[in-house]
Amino acid sequence: MPFPIHRPRRLRSSEPIRRLVRETQLTPSSFVLPLFVCPGSGVRREIKSMPGQYQMSIDQIVAECAEVRQLGIGGVILFGIPSRKDEEASENYDPNGIVQRAIRAIKAEAPDLVVITDVCNCEYTSHGHCGKIVNGDVDNDATLEWLAQAALTHAQAGADIVAPSDMMDGRVAAIRRRLDENGFSKVPILSYAAKYASVFYGPFREAAESAPQFGDRRTYQMDPANVLEAMREIELDIEEGADMIMIKPAMPYLDVIRAARERFDTPIAAYQVSGEFSMIHAAARNGWLDLERAMMESLTSIRRAGASIILTYFAKPAARLLGA
Ligand code: PBG
C-alpha cells in the first residue's frame, strides 16, 4: 500500500529541493546559435517572421560572435545569403564566397569560438533546391561534388566543424574523403542525418531566401511518419564517418531523438528550427504563452529526450537566463 507512505510531492515542496533532484540541466555551452550572413557592411535586417533574428553583414556577424562568446554559448552555425544565385550553386564552393569570408573574419576576432558551417546548396541555387537538377529532380551523385568542395573551402577558411544538411546519399563519405585528401582529417562532420521534410522550416526559407521555386524537398528529406528510416540514415552516416549526428526539427521529433540516444553513442544534436521558434514567439505576442517559460520548457524537453547539443535561435536569451 504505497500511499500514505509514499508522497512524491515531498520532493517538489520548494525550489531548493526541486533543484536538488532535477534530472535535466541546460548549459549555454551546449547551445549553437544559427546566423545568417549577407553581403554589404553595416547591414542588420530583421527577419519579420523570426523576432530578434537578423540577416547580418560580416562586420555585424563578427560583433555578434563576440557577444555569443561572452555569453558562453557553445558555437555558431553559419548560413550564407549570396549576392548571386545560379544553376550551379557556384558561390557555395567559391573560396571567396560569403560564408568563407565570414569564417575568416570571425576566426580573426574570436579564434576560440566554435564555427560550424551548414553545407547545403539551397541558398545558392537559382531554383532553391539542395542540389543539381537533372530531368526535373535533384541528381544525387552530381550534387556530391558541390558539397565536398563547399566543405573543403569552409575548412580551408577555418571552419571548426562542417554540417551537411542536404540529405543526399553518400555525402558524408564524399566530404570525409575530400577533407582527408586535402589535409583536413581533423575537421569533424556533424551530419544532419535525420532531417525531415518539415513545414516548420517556413520562416527559415524567408530568412535564407531558399524556398524551392518548383516542387518540394520530399524526394530527399525524410517522411515525417518514419522513425526506423531515421535509424537507418543515422547508421549509414556514422559508417561513412560522421562524428556527430543531428535530428531536425526537434520538438515534433522528440521520439526520434530518444530512439537515436538509446541506439547510438555519438554526440547527438537537435535543431529547434525556425518554425518552432516563431510559433512560441507568435503565441507569446498574443499573450497566450509566457515567452521565457515556453523557451526554457521547449529546450529542456529537447535535452531530456537525449540531445547533447541544441541548435536554437533562443541561444542568447536562454544563456542570459541561465547565467543570471
Ligand atoms: C538547408 C537548411 C534548412 C534549414 C537548415 N538548413 C532549410 C530547408 O531544408 O529547407 C532549416 C532551419 C530552420 O528552419 O531553422 N537545407
Side-chain angles (χ1 to χ4, degrees):
M1 202 41 132
F3 182 82
I5 302 297
H6 294 288
R7 290 177 182 271
R9 287 185 57 193
R10 284 186 197 113
L11 294 181
R12 298 179 209 136
S13 62
S14 70
E15 179 54 20
I17 289 184
R18 289 194 293 272
R19 198 178 342 139
L20 189 68
V21 300
R22 192 157 291 147
E23 299 172 35
T24 307
Q25 311 290 342
L26 289 171
T27 49
S29 59
S30 59
F31 296 152
V32 172
L33 177 66
L35 294 174
F36 300 99
V37 55
C38 68
S41 79
V43 181
R44 207 181 161 81
R45 201 178 301 127
E46 188 163 27
I47 299 154
K48 276 197 238 57
S49 54
M50 300 175 70
Q53 307 299 312
Y54 302 83
Q55 293 181 346
M56 284 178 267
S57 51
I58 291 175
D59 54 313
Q60 299 292 306
I61 290 270
V62 169
E64 184 80 4
C65 285
E67 196 188 339
V68 164
R69 185 170 62 156
Q70 237 198 342
L71 286 165
I73 291 169
V76 295
I77 181 163
L78 300 180
F79 294 94
I81 298 141
S83 42
R84 64 185 171 81
K85 299 174 190 257
D86 60 25
E87 295 269 305
E88 306 291 310
S90 312
E91 194 167 330
N92 194 18
Y93 40 86
D94 178 345
N96 274 316
I98 184 80
V99 163
Q100 291 82 352
R101 279 184 286 131
I103 301 164
R104 286 195 289 268
I106 296 167
K107 282 288 160 187
E109 293 295 316
D112 58 351
L113 179 70
V114 175
V115 176
I116 306 173
T117 56
D118 181 86
V119 181
C120 194
N121 295 300
C122 61
E123 297 113 76
Y124 303 91
T125 50
S126 42
H127 45 72
H129 276 289
C130 299
K132 190 180 173 80
I133 300 292
V134 177
N135 298 329
D137 190 19
V138 174
D139 187 85
N140 194 88
D141 299 11
T143 301
L144 297 183
E145 172 58 29
W146 296 354
L147 296 167
Q149 200 53 26
L152 176 60
T153 58
H154 293 169
Q156 285 167 334
D160 295 289
I161 299 172
V162 294
S165 70
D166 50 282
M167 289 301 279
M168 296 302 121
D169 296 328
R171 80 279 173 75
V172 174
I175 291 171
R176 187 70 275 158
R177 201 175 319 119
R178 183 68 50 93
L179 290 175
D180 290 359
E181 283 168 1
N182 289 277
F184 292 98
S185 58
K186 285 187 183 164
V187 172
I189 298 175
L190 163 59
S191 159
Y192 287 68
K195 175 172 175 181
Y196 288 87
S198 173
V199 72
F200 294 105
Y201 308 147
F204 172 96
R205 291 181 187 171
E206 178 205 331
E209 301 172 9
S210 66
Q213 300 303 302
F214 63 89
D216 55 41
R217 302 208 204 288
R218 281 182 242 199
T219 68
Y220 41 107
Q221 297 181 348
M222 281 183 47
D223 185 332
N226 296 352
V227 62
L228 295 175
E229 187 187 357
M231 298 304 110
R232 181 163 161 68
E233 281 282 5
I234 294 169
E235 195 171 358
L236 291 171
D237 281 8
I238 292 174
E239 278 175 17
E240 287 180 31
D243 301 279
M244 301 182 273
I245 56 107
M246 192 194 305
I247 288 146
K248 173 183 174 191
M251 223 160 64
Y253 297 88
L254 295 179
D255 58 321
V256 182
I257 299 174
R258 168 52 48 192
R261 179 69 297 158
E262 281 167 6
R263 191 143 154 188
F264 302 103
D265 298 330
T266 64
I268 293 178
Y271 197 143
Q272 183 181 47
V273 301
S274 56
E276 300 178 65
F277 172 84
S278 298
M279 278 194 302
I280 291 174
H281 266 285
R285 283 191 170 184
N286 272 298
W288 296 340
L289 284 178
D290 178 83
L291 181 63
E292 275 188 1
R293 289 187 53 201
M295 164 176 88
M296 296 317 264
E297 189 172 327
S298 66
L299 293 170
T300 301
S301 74
I302 296 163
R303 180 89 190 188
R304 193 191 62 236
S308 32
I309 301 165
I310 306 177
L311 291 83
T312 174
Y313 302 97
F314 285 125
K316 285 202 308 177
R320 270 191 214 105
L321 214 65
L322 291 167

